[in-house]
Amino acid sequence: MIVTSLEQSEMRPAPAASGRPDGGASMRGTRTALGYGVATALMLISPLLVFAPAALFQCALRNGRRVAWGAFTVAVILTAGYFIQVANVSTALASSRMAYASLAALVLSIAVPSMAALPLVERGQPFGTVLMFALTGSAVGLGLTEVLMRTVAGFSPFAIQVAQAREMSARIVAFYRDNNARPDLVRGVEGWMESAMQVLPAWILIDFSLIFVLSLMMVGRLKSWRTFAANRTVVDQAERSYLFRHLSLPEWLLFGFVFGGITPLATGSPRLVAANVLAVVVFLYLMQGLAVFRFMLVKAGAGAVGTIFGFILLALLCITGLGLFLLAIAGLFDPFFDFRKLKRKDDSHESHTD
C-alpha cells in the first residue's frame, strides 16, 4: 500500500517553485492559443466559416477556457488585420465600408456568440438549447453591427445588402423575360423575389443557424468531446447530445411561431418583423422535422443505402412542396408528441452516426 502511494506520487508533476505557474505549460498554452487562433481566423475569412465555432469549442474542450479565449483574441486580431487590408486596397468607398461591416458582423455574430455559448457546451446542454442561444446572440450581433456602422461610418450595411439583392432580383426576372417565359411565370417570380426581399434578415440568420448546427454536429464527433463528457458531470446523454438526429428545439420557440402568425394581419414595420421571425422559426422547425426523419431512419436500422434512398425520396417530395410541409409539421408538433421519445430516461444508447 505504501509502495503504491509512492508510485502514484512519483507520477505527479512537481509544483513550480515559489508557487509560480509552470513556464513550460504556459508556453504550450500560448502556442496552442496561437495555433487555434490562426486556424479560426482562416475559417472566418473563407468558406470554412461553417466550422469556426467548432474550432473554438474544440480548443476549449482540449485545453481549457482560458486558452480558448486566447485563441479567440488571436483570431479577432488576425481577422481584423485581413479586413483592414481589404478596406485599404479598395478604391470604392462603399466596398471599404462593407469590409469593416463584414468584420464587425463576423466578430459580433459568429465569434462572440460562440464564446458565449461555450459554457453551455461544456455543461452538455441540449442541442436545441445551445443552437437557440447562439442564434439569439447572432441576431443581437447583427443589430449591433448595423447600429455601430451607422454611428461610426454613417452608412447602413443592411441598405447596401438590400440594394444588391434587388439588383440580383431584377437580373433574374430579366432572364425569364429574355427567354420568353410565360407572363404568369414572370409575375410569379417577381412576387416571390419581392417576398424574399422582405425577409432578407431572416435569410442571414438562417445562414448563421446552419453554421452553428454544423459546428455542433462536428463537436459531437470529436474525441475530445467524448473524453470531456466522460470526465465531467454533464447532463444525461451528453456524449451523443450533439448528433443531428437529437436536435430538439426549446418549447418556447412556439411563441415565436404564434407571433409570426400575425404577419397577414399586421402592416408596416410590425409586419416585416413578424414575417422575418416566422421565416426563421419555420426553417428551424424544418430542421427539427429533418432530425425526426433521420432518427426514424436510424431506428428502422436503415444502413447507408437505405439512408441515401430515404433522403432521395424526401428530396423528390420536397420538390413538390409536400416534403417541406411534412417536415415542418413534424418539427412543429414534435414538442407535443415527442416522436423520438428523447425525454424518456430509458432511451437506449445506440452508436449510429448521422
Side-chain angles (χ1 to χ4, degrees), residues 146-219:
E146 181 72 15
V147 172
L148 179 65
M149 296 310 298
R150 286 189 178 188
T151 303
V152 176
F155 92 110
S156 170
F158 179 69
I160 293 180
Q161 289 182 320
V162 170
Q164 293 174 346
R166 289 194 179 280
E167 182 181 355
M168 182 179 296
S169 173
R171 291 179 180 177
I172 294 175
V173 174
F175 172 81
Y176 279 92
R177 284 202 182 103
D178 294 342
N179 286 272
N180 299 321
R182 300 191 310 273
D184 57 335
L185 178 59
V186 174
R187 287 193 298 271
V189 172
E190 288 179 335
W192 189 90
M193 297 302 296
E194 183 61 31
S195 299
M197 292 297 100
Q198 296 180 359
V199 293
L200 184 58
W203 286 112
I204 300 174
L205 286 177
I206 287 172
D207 289 339
F208 288 168
S209 69
L210 290 175
I211 290 174
F212 289 111
V213 166
L214 292 174
S215 287
L216 288 170
M217 287 172 59
M218 174 171 282
V219 168

Side-chain angles (χ1 to χ4, degrees), residues 39-194:
T40 304
L42 291 175
M43 293 178 182
L44 289 173
I45 62 176
S46 71
L48 293 177
L49 171 64
V50 293
F51 299 123
L56 295 173
F57 296 155
Q58 161 80 348
C59 180
L61 295 175
R62 291 193 61 181
N63 308 284
R65 201 179 298 179
R66 179 177 298 180
V67 177
W69 276 106
F72 166 83
T73 303
V74 172
V76 169
I77 293 174
L78 294 178
T79 305
Y82 170 79
F83 279 104
I84 290 174
Q85 181 65 23
V86 171
N88 290 335
V89 300
S90 178
T91 56
L93 180 60
S95 299
S96 177
R97 288 176 172 177
M98 281 303 296
Y100 289 109
S102 299
L103 170 62
L106 287 174
V107 173
L108 297 177
S109 299
I110 300 295
V112 171
S114 298
M115 295 303 298
L118 180 56
L120 300 182
V121 176
E122 291 178 334
R123 293 197 299 268
Q125 292 297 310
F127 199 146
T129 301
V130 180
L131 173 61
M132 290 307 303
F133 181 86
L135 190 58
T136 302
S138 292
V140 174
L142 284 176
L144 289 176
T145 299
E146 181 72 15
V147 172
L148 179 65
M149 296 310 298
R150 286 189 178 188
T151 303
V152 176
F155 92 110
S156 170
F158 179 69
I160 293 180
Q161 289 182 320
V162 170
Q164 293 174 346
R166 289 194 179 280
E167 182 181 355
M168 182 179 296
S169 173
R171 291 179 180 177
I172 294 175
V173 174
F175 172 81
Y176 279 92
R177 284 202 182 103
D178 294 342
N179 286 272
N180 299 321
R182 300 191 310 273
D184 57 335
L185 178 59
V186 174
R187 287 193 298 271
V189 172
E190 288 179 335
W192 189 90
M193 297 302 296
E194 183 61 31

Side-chain angles (χ1 to χ4, degrees), residues 241-278:
S241 60
Y242 299 131
L243 297 178
F244 177 70
R245 63 179 179 274
H246 295 130
L247 171 61
S248 181
L249 299 168
E251 295 181 358
W252 56 260
L253 190 63
L254 290 169
F255 292 101
F257 181 78
V258 173
F259 174 75
I262 70 172
T263 300
L265 305 177
T267 57
S269 297
R271 176 186 175 87
L272 292 178
V273 173
N276 280 273
V277 171
L278 182 63

